Amino acid sequence: MTAQYLRIPLGRAFVAEFPNGETRVRIEENVRGLDVFLVQSVCSPVDTSLMQLLIMIDAVKRASADRITAVIPYFGYARQEKKMVGREPISAKLVANILAVAGADRILTMDLHAPAIEGFFDIPVDHLRAAGLLAKQVQTLELEDAVVGSPDAGGVARAEDFSRRLGASDLFVVFKRRDTPDDVTPLHLVGDVTGRTAIIIDDIISTGQSLITAADSLLKEGAKEVHACAVHADFTQAVVDKLESSRISSVLVTDTIPIHKQRASSSKIKVCSTAQIFAETISRIHGHESVSALFS
Ligand code: R5P
């Protein structure tokens, strides 16, 4: 889709696996002296996606491309961006390092799990936000007396920004405790949602537990209905089924991670395309134009 917006054909490449599972790549056209954009989300199968991207950067670099931009709509390995306890890695920093070592000259991405990850790179990073796209889509639902909030304390700034975009008043936050990926306990809800339409905004849906737990708390505290929005749909069919049978009325996500098959089986999940904003940004990077207007 992004290439279609740019009205250019996709570059030709052979991507396969050796019998032992190693990623095998060959670029099948001349890239010497070209401004190359490699588009790959680091999503499931995450390690394979990452290795394909790294190996492709290496191939393009060795084929004498002039500049290589890694376009990573969903930047995986971002959730371990700081040590919570001793002897943990900072995987986001490791991935930033290896992308640069592989030969990426710049990064274009969307809604990093933590904005500070941008600073893990010593090469330029263009960090797009999906909030504008999602807010436009939510406005078409014409939800009355809406109140926006976050399913955890870490997402308050995102929720404040989203609320402002929707012209909504007030804010809610569901404080949660997570013991295992599937075990999310709501601790308490801050904000008055009685009789109102609650809109939860999050960056990622993975197991769906954060959203479902938050929605149950909001409904218990008197919310009329609950809608959810998230940028990255990092989920499986089982999670789609879980969201489908949850008390959430609608779930809006973007296509930074391909979810075509799962979406087909869901009446609640709607997908907002990011192709145009990525195409516009690529075009501006290539033309050495400002991209800051696209960040808002
Ligand atoms: C947490 O810090 C993130 O912002 C998301 O709330 C979390 O990754 C969602 O994961 P899940 O869908 O598994 O609850």
Side-chain angles (χ1 to χ4, degrees):
M1 279 284 275
T2 301
Q4 278 172 20
Y5 274 111
L6 288 165
R7 293 169 196 267
I8 52 170
L10 281 176
R12 289 193 315 277
F14 167 78
V15 182
E17 274 187 2
F18 285 106
N20 67 354
E22 285 173 19
T23 297
R24 183 178 172 202
V25 163
R26 189 169 54 243
I27 307 300
E28 294 193 319
E29 61 186 272
N30 181 21
V31 293
R32 187 175 291 270
L34 295 187
D35 190 15
V36 174
F37 292 82
L38 294 171
V39 183
Q40 174 89 306
S41 274
V42 178
C43 59
S44 180
V46 181
D47 293 347
T48 303
S49 304
L50 180 60
M51 283 311 292
Q52 284 176 351
L53 178 60
L54 293 168
I55 292 173
M56 215 170 231
I57 292 172
D58 185 73
V60 168
K61 186 181 175 195
R62 289 173 195 282
S64 304
D66 193 37
R67 181 175 67 169
I68 305 167
T69 302
V71 182
I72 311 176
Y74 172 61
F75 188 90
Y77 278 111
R79 276 176 281 195
Q80 281 198 301
E81 96 286 8
K82 58 179 176 292
K83 288 169 85 161
M84 301 294 283
V85 293
R87 298 189 297 279
E88 279 191 339
I90 302 182
S91 315
K93 173 65 179 149
L94 173 67
V95 172
N97 286 349
I98 51 183
L99 281 162
V101 168
D105 295 302
R106 57 189 308 133
I107 304 290
L108 169 59
T109 189
M110 182 169 262
D111 284 274
L112 289 164
H113 177 59
I117 294 171
E118 197 175 323
F120 293 180
F121 290 91
D122 289 325
I123 53 176
V125 177
D126 290 311
H127 183 193
L128 300 173
R129 305 298 200 286
L133 292 174
L134 292 172
K136 241 188 235 162
Q137 197 65 37
V138 170
Q139 270 157 351
T140 66
L141 299 176
E142 297 183 353
L143 301 173
E144 278 177 16
D145 198 14
V147 55
V148 175
S150 170
D152 55 42
V156 174
R158 183 181 304 110
E160 265 179 332
D161 170 65
F162 204 59
S163 177
R164 186 182 45 77
R165 287 170 191 274
L166 291 177
S169 58
D170 307 333
L171 211 63
F172 66 81
V173 185
V174 181
F175 289 86
K176 73 179 183 196
R177 193 184 71 221
R178 173 166 234 145
D179 295 320
T180 65
D182 274 316
D183 186 9
V184 177
T185 313
L187 298 178
H188 57 274
L189 167 71
V190 174
D192 184 9
V193 296
T194 316
R196 304 185 68 184
T197 302
I199 304 172
I200 308 172
I201 174 86
D202 207 348
D203 61 334
I204 306 171
I205 305 176
S206 180
T207 65
Q209 275 313 116
S210 300
L211 287 186
I212 292 170
T213 311
D216 289 342
S217 299
L218 291 161
L219 291 164
K220 196 168 141 213
E221 293 300 320
K224 207 166 54 180
E225 56 189 69
V226 178
H227 298 262
C229 305
V231 182
H232 307 296
D234 186 17
F235 50 61
T236 57
Q237 182 61 49
V239 175
V240 173
D241 296 341
K242 211 156 72 170
L243 290 170
E244 197 63 23
S245 58
S246 75
R247 298 165 73 202
I248 303 173
S249 303
S250 72
V251 180
L252 178 64
V253 292
T254 78
D255 58 357
T256 56
I257 295 174
I259 57 163
H260 308 298
K261 276 189 233 137
Q262 296 99 309
R263 180 186 39 161
S265 65
S266 169
S267 60
K268 285 187 183 172
I269 298 173
K270 299 279 176 288
V271 181
C272 191
S273 171
T274 57
Q276 193 169 2
I277 186 169
F278 274 104
E280 179 64 29
T281 312
I282 288 170
S283 164
R284 290 186 188 205
I285 291 171
H286 179 64
H288 302 287
E289 293 169 54
S290 167
V291 298
S292 54
L294 301 171
F295 291 174
S296 53

